[in-house]
Amino acid sequence: QPKITQAMINAYDEYTHLTLDRRDFMQKLQVLAGSAAAAAAIAPMIAADSARADVISPDDTRLEADDITYSGAPAEIKAYAAVPKGAEKLPAVIVIHENRGLNNHIRDVTRRVALEGFLAMAPDLLSPSGGTPDDEDKARELISKSSADITRTNLMSAVEFLKTFKRSNGNVGAIGFCWGGGWANQLAVASPDLKAAVAYYGMQPKAEDVAKIKAALMLHYAGLDERIDAGIDAYKKALEANHKDFQIFVYDGVNHAFNNDT
């Protein structure tokens, strides 16, 4: 069994979130692993495994789940929604995907949120680019080129859609992961109607924008995630200075994306 080191995990994080391409990642991994053969064995052990995506079956009889659309920019936004079977008016939660797009893992997370007693909806924020592709490298590439203004508009449109949706009681929150965790923070800045935002290892907003936040916040961070954790102190100070309702949890000894079962 090849040994996976923190340096290898950091290299994978650089590949999946920053500027390192796959060729350079494999070259760096080869140096760290000691040989091309070892690098080839380790790479799939670090990478996402879609076979682990489903914790809640797509046909779980406790749920009603389906693909839907809502009005967005520049056209309709595809989304996946789930709600406890037979439920009527429930608080709504926007599930904001990682930089891999609306994949089976995020659909599964949406079902988990629904089973906790919510109307859960995960927008495909790559809808303006034709939707999430099966190839996660392509999805990351598309997200890196996506417009922040259009993404913000489509998340704010999701809030408006869920405020008046027939299965919603009008209260809307958001939960996001990685890229989506950053957008959970940004949506809290942009939408005064958002009631709560939960951000998993998400980039923090600018300190000067924190005053605009009305939502209660729950912020989860990985103790080994130096890239994202570098912004915690400034965010915390700004939240305290502006008397915001927030909680911060930092989990020792775990890496970025620890909530992703794949």
Side-chain angles (χ1 to χ4, degrees):
Q1 181 87 348
K3 182 180 179 182
I4 298 174
T5 67
Q6 187 62 41
M8 294 173 185
I9 293 171
N10 291 344
Y12 183 72
D13 184 68
E14 186 180 356
Y15 161 51
T16 55
H17 296 96
L18 299 172
T19 58
L20 197 67
D21 63 21
R22 181 163 184 83
R23 179 181 177 183
D24 290 340
F25 164 64
M26 291 304 298
Q27 288 179 342
K28 180 175 279 192
L29 190 59
Q30 180 176 335
V31 172
L32 293 169
S35 71
I42 289 170
M45 295 171 62
I46 300 175
D49 178 3
S50 60
R52 301 182 182 182
D54 289 342
V55 174
I56 307 298
S57 171
D59 56 3
D60 191 297
T61 57
R62 296 171 294 173
L63 293 171
E64 299 171 36
D66 206 355
D67 294 312
I68 63 172
T69 61
Y70 67 90
S71 296
E76 286 191 332
I77 302 302
K78 302 170 188 175
Y80 177 71
V83 65
K85 182 167 284 187
E88 294 186 4
K89 302 287 189 178
L90 292 174
V93 177
I94 302 166
V95 180
I96 312 176
H97 58 68
E98 302 165 313
N99 66 348
R100 293 168 168 86
L102 178 54
N103 56 19
N104 286 339
H105 167 64
I106 294 298
R107 288 173 179 264
D108 185 76
V109 170
T110 305
R111 293 191 291 271
R112 294 183 222 175
V113 172
L115 283 178
E116 295 297 327
F118 297 97
L119 162 61
M121 186 185 79
D124 184 349
L125 294 167
L126 284 175
S127 294
S129 302
T132 295
D134 291 334
D135 183 338
E136 73 170 43
D137 285 343
K138 181 63 175 177
R140 284 195 293 264
E141 180 184 344
L142 290 172
I143 280 183
S144 70
K145 297 176 181 177
S146 63
S147 162
D149 288 340
I150 289 177
T151 298
R152 184 180 297 105
T153 294
N154 289 331
L155 285 170
M156 293 179 70
S157 295
V159 175
E160 294 303 310
F161 173 74
L162 290 172
K163 280 168 55 179
T164 59
F165 189 65
K166 61 184 178 181
R167 308 293 289 272
S168 169
N169 68 5
N171 293 319
V172 182
I175 183 169
F177 305 89
C178 183
W179 182 82
W183 274 109
N185 282 319
Q186 292 296 338
L187 184 58
V189 170
S191 174
D193 293 330
L194 194 72
K195 301 294 185 182
V198 179
Y200 277 80
Y201 29 81
M203 290 290 291
Q204 301 84 2
K206 296 177 181 177
E208 57 265 31
D209 289 335
V210 169
K212 302 174 185 176
I213 295 174
K214 304 296 183 185
L217 301 176
M218 182 181 285
L219 310 171
H220 299 284
Y221 296 102
L224 300 176
D225 189 5
E226 296 179 0
R227 178 173 58 86
I228 297 296
D229 292 356
I232 293 176
D233 287 347
Y235 195 17
K236 182 179 180 182
K237 288 178 183 177
L239 290 166
E240 289 174 338
N242 287 279
H243 308 290
K244 299 303 177 182
D245 180 1
F246 73 98
Q247 295 173 285
I248 293 178
F249 299 92
V250 180
Y251 304 94
D252 293 337
V254 297
N255 281 288
H256 183 87
F258 63 83
N259 190 71
N260 187 329
D261 302 282
T262 67

